Amino acid sequence: MKKDLNKVRNIGISAHIDSGKTTLTERILFYTQKIHAIHEVRGKDGVGATMDSMELEKERGITIQSAATYCSWKDYDINIIDTPGHVDFTIEVERALRVLDGAVLILCSVGGVQSQSITVNRQMTRYKVPRIAFINKCDRTGANPFRVTQQLRDKLELNAVMLQMPIGLESDLQGMIDLVSMKAIYFDGDQGENIRHEEIPAEFLEEARVKREELLDAVSMFSDELMEAMLEEAEIPEDMIHEAIRRGTLSLELTPVMIGSAYKNKGVQLLLDAVTAYLPCPTDVENTALDLDENEAELMVSNNPADPLVALAFKLEDGRYGQLTYIRTYQGMIQKGDTIINSRTGKKAKVGRLVRMHANEMEEIEGAGSGDIVALFGIDCASGDTFCSPGINFSMSSMHVPAPVISLAIRPVDNKAQINMSKALNRFTKEDPTFKTYVDHETNETIISGMGELHLEVYIERMKREYKAEVEVGAPQVAYRETITQHAAFDYTHKKQTGGSGQYGRVAGFLEPLEEGEYEFADQIVGGVIPREFISSCDKGFQKSLEKGTLIGAPITGVRVAINDGSYHAVDSSDVAFQVAAIGAFRQGYAKANPVIMEPIMKVAVEGPSEFQGAVMGSLNQRRGVIIGTFEEGNYTVVEAEMPLAEMFGYSTTLRSLTQGKAEFTMEFATYKQVPKGVAEELVKAYAAQKKDA
């Protein structure tokens, strides 16, 4: 059992796609003796990296699911989560950062700060995660860690400070100079396992002194003792510098920058030293929970193993032995045979099997302490649930889940595929909160929604492979919305007489556009013209009306509804009568409020060689894109634009053919904007035709 929480580190490894996250994790596992042979991500041996255990990951050479592992380094226990770099799998990064105490942000020494690095950094900032930057691939042609450090300051607004400088670069990378100890460090042996400390070569000494001065200036802000020692020009002990760097990192006001090449086995052990020296242990981080018995009052979780258990289920996986639930414990202990309570459902569960994960392998354990990341078997729950000991009812604050932006229709080819498809969808929606599925009642098609084309492509591929569910894929659908643009009054009476008691309700008021939010209901009734008990019926009716607009059947958003008049009948008025009256009133007002169609606009970043800049900008303009800016990095150009999602389908193929496969793009949801008139007319026409056929 772990006792000393100061010797525990929970870290995530995050970066832009292809920056070398999985390669770095593979090296970390090798140096901590967790694995005894190194395999490459796109290796020729056909084994693939340890953390990419899914067949699809090995084939595509990308990480799709975040994988957890743990290792020990110099008597520190480190739990690591290797996260995907592709924006389509952003939820994997989100949920990992939610439960981690610190993170390593990896950057490519050539590519520098790329579009996904910006997204990942924003997620780290959202969860207040202290980070170390690791500039990888210093052996590549065009490598320049000094330029990348400057980009960290300019683009990510981080106070980035280099703790090392390279000895040689590109193919000449020999080792690095540690600016804290002022020693040259080399990595000998076939796999860089033997570390050699030498004096700094004469030709690098002057530059190293300048860089050390910069380092001391930056970190002295976090230590009065260090500042005094500098003013007195006294000898500065290394421990004092390390302490100041740690203080700055934990306060999120300093980002230490390490350099190296994971592929060439240089600098990884020093990064592990930095993780243990500068990143927080569980007790350094303040985590809040809500006390559900005390009106959701906020309180700090204690990290004390003696307190009652509080743990968060942050990821679910359907393993070979049933549902596997990854949990992070925040206080208390969890042991085999314990009874725990799901605070969302109130259901009790018994802890049967408790395991520690190493990618897709597992090790049975008897118990886990506070601040640990472990996994449970056979517990029914959803991603984001909190487990507590009996007697307390806490809930950890949930993670941010972005809304899906792209939909596809899927049809099973036969009855067997139908059964397997529903099993697969059931599992995927439980595992991934950004993957949604529903049946369209008008077309009777199963619709799946997600974060991008690759996201859905991977799930369709997994359905076929893991569940033998052959499905046909229909045209992609965009999540359009409808909204109103002007104030409009309504006055609607619902009357129905069919022998016995009838239905009666009159509702009057107005609709108006709502700047912030999706829907707001204002009750301005005076004098009881509509009795209290029917006000909520009107609200329900209005909310039901929002589900489907009249233009193209899309959900309605951004509407404020106010009711200020009405009438009722002592016998014939009822909950249903007022709900129906509200629906009629809404339709009446909606038609007069000049409704428009809104479409999702994506923030797109296209990255490729500068020679193709003109072709890329032309392709974005053709697709109704608005170019926001371009910036050059060496011989690469990044074009940023806002694009309607409807125009992005198939763009990856177009981009590849335009740039000989050399450019790539990432996109994420930005906002909703009104559709141009011509496009709106076509959408309305298509919707009318579809209704006719149905």
Side-chain angles (χ1 to χ4, degrees):
M1 283 305 274
K2 291 178 185 164
K3 288 285 180 278
D4 188 0
L5 281 182
N6 293 326
K7 295 282 174 105
V8 176
R9 297 287 179 272
N10 293 319
I11 64 162
I13 293 186
S14 307
H16 184 85
I17 191 164
D18 255 1
S19 299
K21 293 179 297 299
T22 304
T23 305
L24 177 71
T25 313
E26 190 80 0
R27 298 306 187 272
I28 288 175
L29 295 176
F30 177 75
Y31 294 128
T32 55
Q33 296 179 342
K34 195 78 200 157
I35 57 175
H36 302 294
I38 291 173
H39 296 289
E40 301 308 336
V41 174
R42 296 175 190 265
K44 303 212 171 22
D45 57 6
V47 177
T50 309
M51 302 304 275
D52 286 351
S53 54
M54 198 193 291
E55 276 306 309
L56 265 173
E57 295 181 314
K58 290 178 184 174
E59 273 173 36
R60 290 174 181 248
I62 60 170
T63 303
I64 291 169
Q65 282 191 332
S66 53
T69 187
Y70 68 98
C71 56
S72 297
W73 178 253
K74 297 183 179 173
D75 75 4
Y76 281 85
D77 291 309
I78 306 175
N79 289 311
I80 301 173
I81 297 185
D82 172 26
T83 62
H86 205 287
V87 69
D88 284 19
F89 308 109
T90 190
I91 188 66
E92 293 288 334
V93 185
E94 241 357 287
R95 57 173 147 216
L97 291 175
R98 170 66 190 81
V99 297
L100 295 168
D101 304 323
V104 177
L105 173 64
I106 304 183
L107 301 136
C108 169
S109 186
V110 182
V113 173
Q114 292 160 288
S115 49
Q116 186 65 4
S117 328
I118 297 170
T119 304
V120 168
N121 182 64
R122 197 165 57 239
Q123 290 171 317
M124 289 178 187
T125 307
R126 181 186 295 133
Y127 293 112
K128 299 187 174 67
V129 176
R131 71 216 74 162
I132 290 175
F134 179 69
I135 301 176
N136 192 19
K137 301 192 177 184
C138 286
D139 58 309
R140 270 184 62 188
T141 308
N144 185 345
F146 302 109
R147 179 176 60 87
V148 180
T149 305
Q150 194 54 48
Q151 285 181 352
L152 284 170
R153 295 175 193 136
D154 299 342
K155 290 190 185 176
L156 301 184
E157 296 177 356
L158 296 175
N159 180 12
V161 178
M162 291 183 85
L163 305 190
Q164 301 164 334
M165 59 175 271
I167 300 174
L169 269 177
E170 302 180 351
S171 57
D172 188 35
L173 179 70
Q174 296 160 35
M176 55 220 45
I177 294 166
D178 181 348
L179 299 173
V180 177
S181 66
M182 285 302 271
K183 285 272 187 277
I185 299 172
Y186 300 94
F187 302 87
D188 300 334
D190 293 344
Q191 285 160 331
E193 60 272 36
N194 303 323
I195 299 176
R196 178 162 53 89
H197 294 258
E198 300 280 344
E199 290 305 314
I200 298 171
E203 67 268 31
F204 292 104
L205 195 53
E206 195 46 47
E207 191 185 355
R209 283 190 181 130
V210 173
K211 293 285 176 201
R212 187 172 202 255
E213 276 307 308
E214 287 175 17
L215 163 67
L216 292 176
D217 279 348
V219 301
S220 62
M221 305 299 294
F222 304 99
S223 166
D224 295 341
E225 298 164 351
L226 179 56
M227 201 173 267
E228 275 172 34
M230 282 173 68
L231 291 171
E232 290 167 10
E233 295 186 3
E235 186 62 37
I236 299 168
E238 284 177 36
D239 288 355
M240 195 186 282
I241 302 175
H242 288 309
E243 184 52 45
I245 296 170
R246 179 177 173 81
R247 218 172 284 162
T249 308
L250 297 191
S251 67
L252 302 178
E253 288 172 25
L254 181 78
T255 303
V257 178
M258 313 290 288
I259 60 172
S261 164
Y263 186 61
K264 287 282 177 8
N265 309 314
K266 286 181 169 54
V268 178
Q269 299 96 316
L270 305 185
L271 176 65
L272 281 167
D273 287 339
V275 164
T276 56
Y278 309 135
L279 287 183
C281 64
T283 51
D284 289 326
V285 180
E286 290 186 347
N287 285 296
T288 53
L290 306 174
D291 189 341
L292 301 180
D293 292 340
E294 295 291 330
N295 233 345
E296 298 200 353
E298 274 202 7
L299 50 97
M300 290 287 168
V301 286
S302 69
N303 284 307
N304 186 345
D307 285 344
L309 174 77
V310 177
L312 177 74
F314 66 95
K315 177 174 158 66
L316 309 180
E317 245 176 51
D318 216 355
R320 289 171 297 209
Y321 313 106
Q323 183 175 301
L324 184 64
T325 306
Y326 286 81
I327 62 164
R328 155 80 200 257
T329 55
Y330 284 96
Q331 68 175 40
M333 313 268 276
I334 185 163
Q335 288 178 309
K336 265 187 178 177
D338 282 356
T339 298
I340 55 176
I341 293 172
N342 183 332
S343 62
R344 181 179 60 89
T345 60
K347 284 184 183 167
K348 286 185 178 178
K350 202 173 172 80
V351 178
R353 287 179 69 193
L354 196 60
V355 294
R356 185 162 273 135
M357 295 304 295
H358 171 46
N360 62 342
E361 295 164 20
M362 56 193 76
E363 173 197 336
E364 296 271 347
I365 53 173
E366 287 302 310
S370 178
D372 245 339
I373 292 177
V374 291
L376 307 169
F377 268 112
I379 302 273
D380 187 38
C381 66
S383 192
D385 283 358
T386 305
F387 292 110
C388 300
S389 295
I392 59 169
N393 191 11
F394 292 175
S395 172
M396 296 300 294
S397 53
S398 61
M399 59 194 155
H400 169 77
V401 177
V405 292
I406 176 174
S407 303
L408 284 178
I410 54 171
R411 282 179 299 279
V413 292
D414 53 28
N415 201 27
K416 187 178 171 210
Q418 168 77 47
I419 295 163
N420 290 345
M421 182 183 90
S422 57
K423 275 185 195 165
L425 291 179
N426 200 8
R427 169 187 163 188
F428 297 153
T429 47
K430 218 173 177 188
E431 285 181 10
D432 183 349
T434 57
F435 178 74
K436 302 266 193 275
T437 173
Y438 64 94
V439 174
D440 186 319
H441 297 300
E442 285 199 359
T443 59
N444 253 347
E445 287 178 322
T446 302
I447 308 292
I448 56 173
S449 314
M451 301 306 296
E453 283 180 277
L454 179 67
H455 191 201
L456 298 184
E457 212 178 280
V458 163
Y459 276 123
I460 289 163
E461 192 61 36
R462 284 183 65 189
M463 261 181 236
K464 292 176 181 172
R465 289 188 188 194
E466 295 171 31
Y467 285 88
K468 305 283 181 284
E470 282 300 322
V471 294
E472 291 170 350
V473 180
Q477 294 180 326
V478 178
Y480 288 108
R481 297 278 183 271
E482 293 184 26
T483 190
I484 56 172
T485 54
Q486 62 190 47
H487 181 287
F490 55 76
D491 187 344
Y492 184 85
T493 307
H494 168 64
K495 237 190 229 171
K496 198 175 180 189
Q497 204 65 45
T498 49
S501 66
Q503 290 183 6
Y504 179 86
R506 175 176 156 257
V507 179
F510 60 88
L511 307 177
E512 61 186 9
L514 182 64
E515 288 299 317
E516 288 289 316
E518 296 188 2
Y519 166 73
E520 194 180 288
F521 174 67
D523 167 18
Q524 298 174 359
I525 295 293
V526 283
V529 288
I530 297 178
R532 281 287 101 209
E533 66 266 27
F534 296 139
I535 300 287
S536 64
S537 311
C538 296
D539 188 13
K540 269 187 216 159
F542 290 133
Q543 288 193 42
K544 210 170 263 179
S545 310
L546 295 174
E547 289 169 12
K548 218 168 195 190
T550 52
L551 299 175
I552 55 166
I556 299 169
T557 181
V559 179
R560 181 172 184 268
V561 185
I563 53 170
N564 52 25
D565 197 9
S567 55
Y568 71 103
H569 186 279
V571 178
D572 291 353
S573 286
S574 65
D575 173 43
V576 172
F578 270 100
Q579 276 194 51
V580 175
I583 291 170
F586 188 90
R587 283 195 189 133
Q588 186 193 70
Y590 188 69
K592 295 189 282 184
N594 192 16
V596 293
I597 303 166
M598 309 283 278
E599 64 182 342
I601 301 291
M602 312 303 286
K603 186 179 172 221
V604 178
V606 185
E607 205 170 300
S610 300
E611 64 200 89
F612 300 113
Q613 183 182 348
V616 166
M617 289 171 88
S619 72
L620 294 172
N621 285 328
Q622 274 173 351
R623 292 169 177 255
R624 298 197 282 125
V626 176
I627 290 166
I628 300 166
T630 62
F631 46 91
E632 295 204 10
E633 291 171 359
N635 53 1
Y636 259 63
T637 299
V638 178
V639 181
E640 287 189 344
E642 286 195 342
M643 303 276 295
L645 177 66
E647 302 289 342
M648 289 303 293
F649 298 122
Y651 184 61
S652 49
T653 317
T654 309
L655 186 64
R656 277 184 205 132
S657 58
L658 274 177
T659 61
Q660 301 162 13
K662 291 177 185 170
E664 58 175 34
F665 77 94
T666 55
M667 67 175 184
E668 60 180 316
F669 174 72
T671 182
Y672 270 96
K673 278 190 183 163
Q674 191 174 332
V675 171
K677 202 164 178 227
V679 179
E681 283 166 5
E682 280 174 32
L683 288 170
V684 171
K685 214 181 281 175
Y687 179 63
Q690 186 189 331
K691 273 176 84 174
K692 212 175 186 179
D693 295 345

